[in-house]
Amino acid sequence: MQTSSTQPRRAAAAAFVGTTIEFYDFYIYATAAALILGQVFFPSSDPTVNTLAAFGTFAVGFIARPLAGMVFGHLGDRLGRKKMLLLTIVLMGLATTGIGLLPSYASAGIWAPIGLVALRIIQGISVGGEWGGAVLMASEHAPARRKTFYASFAQLGSPAGLLLALIAFRLVTSLEPAQFADWGWRLPFLASGVLMLIGLVIRFGVDESPEFKEVAKRGATAQYPVAQVIRTCWRQILFAACAVTIGSAGFFFTNTFMITYVTQYQGISRATILDCLFVVTLLQFISQPLSALLAERMGEGRFLMLTALLSMVMPYPMFVLVGTQNIVLMTLGIAMAVVTLSGLYAVIAGYMAQAFPTHLRYSGISLAYQLICAIAGGTTPIIGTLLASHFAGQWLPLALFFTLLSAVSLFGVCGLARLRGEHSALPQPAI
């Protein structure tokens, strides 16, 4: 039996491992979509058609996330956080492993891409339900003054998952091209089954959130939490969604769009930018827990406002340094922007969670986060590509777009700073 003193650490570890697995699965799909999935599941004489079809299935995952946030938010506020986290990790593990086992279009015809889309939807549902529960299990187990730091471990899964995905595909792309196309690309997907079992073992050892157990004990769970949180906490949802904008969209700007920008408009090799992003992601992984500790010392609201303001400035030196085409300076420029926005990303989870009452918290933060992921996360690479094409040779419009995303986050943080304490005054359900 675990003592109460060990549960916060186990909850933080479970949140980190679980979100790492979820994001690993999400990122390996994105990488495979760019490299091979179009060729395997959507064969065409035009390579562009192959790639667009594969990226179309990638977008399906984003469409599923807001709906999943509502469904799992409802269930998490009704039945508990732990049950939902066990379910999401099983869903993701089975879906990702299933993709690795799917027959190709040449073997199964139209059923191959249909199966791919179905499994991709399940992946999106899993990610949409995972994040809110992981944040709450970590923060609601944490001591009162350490909630921001413990909640940041759920956010740490994003760079950790990306690092694992990059390593996995570096290994399999070293195979002969024919071997990679035939079976090598499947190995990172099949590895998800092993990761799923590890995650399940860790999560089974964590108790249900003590704050949720207290609500359930009093019989104070909401009957329709999603409807109630929209009706009573719509301002918190709005400001929380705005606050996390650069934390979501910024990564797709630096990790997805930037690859296209430097290879097509700067003439830099793909290997060079991938090496840069690997180092940047490693720095992000190291800096996020430090950001959470710093935020606890100086005050979360003040820290978030500072990082949002700095994020408004960072794209300008980033593009100047990227324009040098020197790998060290490029890495420095991108790292400056990523470390800054990831500081906001690390801290915002615990901060926005405290803006909602416990009995509506899973629904509230899931709605806010998954909505902005679908809107800003999914469209940022597209908008960046359109701007780069229209203003060829000019980086200023791209930097201004990054500044705009950061300004939206600053607006949201300022709004949350005023509303975060209001949940204690909201009417509680009758026992």
Side-chain angles (χ1 to χ4, degrees), residues 55-88:
F55 277 131
T57 63
F58 177 68
V60 167
F62 281 96
I63 296 171
R65 286 172 69 166
L67 177 60
M70 288 190 288
V71 172
F72 280 92
H74 172 89
L75 295 174
D77 282 327
R78 290 280 297 161
L79 304 177
R81 285 65 160 124
K82 180 176 178 177
K83 293 184 180 69
M84 297 307 103
L85 289 180
L86 293 174
L87 178 57
T88 56

Side-chain angles (χ1 to χ4, degrees), residues 65-331:
R65 286 172 69 166
L67 177 60
M70 288 190 288
V71 172
F72 280 92
H74 172 89
L75 295 174
D77 282 327
R78 290 280 297 161
L79 304 177
R81 285 65 160 124
K82 180 176 178 177
K83 293 184 180 69
M84 297 307 103
L85 289 180
L86 293 174
L87 178 57
T88 56
I89 199 169
V90 170
L91 282 177
M92 179 60 90
L94 293 178
T96 307
T97 303
I99 292 173
L101 296 173
L102 275 177
S104 65
Y105 185 91
S107 300
I110 191 64
W111 291 107
I114 290 175
L116 183 66
V117 171
L119 292 172
R120 179 59 184 160
I121 291 173
I122 296 174
Q123 274 194 325
I125 290 172
S126 176
V127 171
E130 162 77 20
W131 181 84
V135 168
L136 295 186
M137 280 293 279
S139 66
E140 290 179 352
H141 270 284
R145 296 183 179 180
R146 307 307 312 279
K147 291 185 178 297
T148 295
F149 178 66
Y150 279 80
S152 72
F153 279 85
Q155 304 293 71
L156 199 58
S158 178
L162 179 56
L163 286 171
L164 287 180
L166 289 172
I167 292 170
F169 268 93
R170 278 188 173 223
L171 292 174
V172 296
T173 51
S174 65
L175 296 169
E176 293 294 329
Q179 293 176 321
F180 174 72
D182 185 27
W183 53 267
W185 69 269
R186 299 177 182 272
L187 298 180
F189 289 88
L190 297 177
S192 178
V194 178
L195 296 176
M196 176 189 71
L197 295 177
I198 295 172
L200 277 175
V201 169
I202 294 175
R203 285 190 166 174
F204 266 117
V206 182
D207 294 339
E208 178 58 84
S209 154
E211 294 184 29
F212 176 80
K213 286 196 292 187
E214 177 62 26
V215 169
K217 182 179 178 181
R218 293 188 290 109
T221 55
Q223 186 174 6
Y224 302 107
V226 173
Q228 188 172 339
V229 78
I230 292 174
R231 185 176 67 254
T232 62
C233 301
W234 62 270
R235 290 179 301 167
Q236 284 94 325
I237 295 173
L238 171 65
F239 287 127
C242 289
V244 80
T245 297
I246 192 62
S248 172
F251 291 126
F252 290 101
F253 189 102
T254 56
N255 291 334
T256 304
F257 165 71
M258 191 60 72
I259 295 175
T260 301
Y261 174 76
V262 300
T263 53
Q264 292 188 8
Y265 298 96
Q266 297 289 316
I268 298 169
S269 70
R270 180 172 294 181
T272 298
I273 185 60
L274 288 178
D275 287 341
C276 287
L277 292 178
F278 184 85
V279 175
V280 169
T281 305
L282 187 61
L283 292 173
Q284 177 195 346
F285 180 80
I286 296 170
S287 69
Q288 281 192 196
L290 299 177
S291 295
L293 289 172
L294 179 60
E296 288 186 341
R297 293 182 65 87
M298 66 182 294
E300 289 89 343
R302 185 182 306 172
F303 178 86
L304 289 168
M305 291 179 192
L306 176 62
T307 50
L309 282 169
L310 288 175
S311 292
M312 295 175 66
V313 177
M314 285 301 168
Y316 305 96
M318 177 180 71
F319 276 106
V320 170
L321 293 173
V322 167
T324 66
Q325 301 191 15
N326 178 285
I327 187 169
V328 175
L329 295 178
M330 287 173 57
T331 303

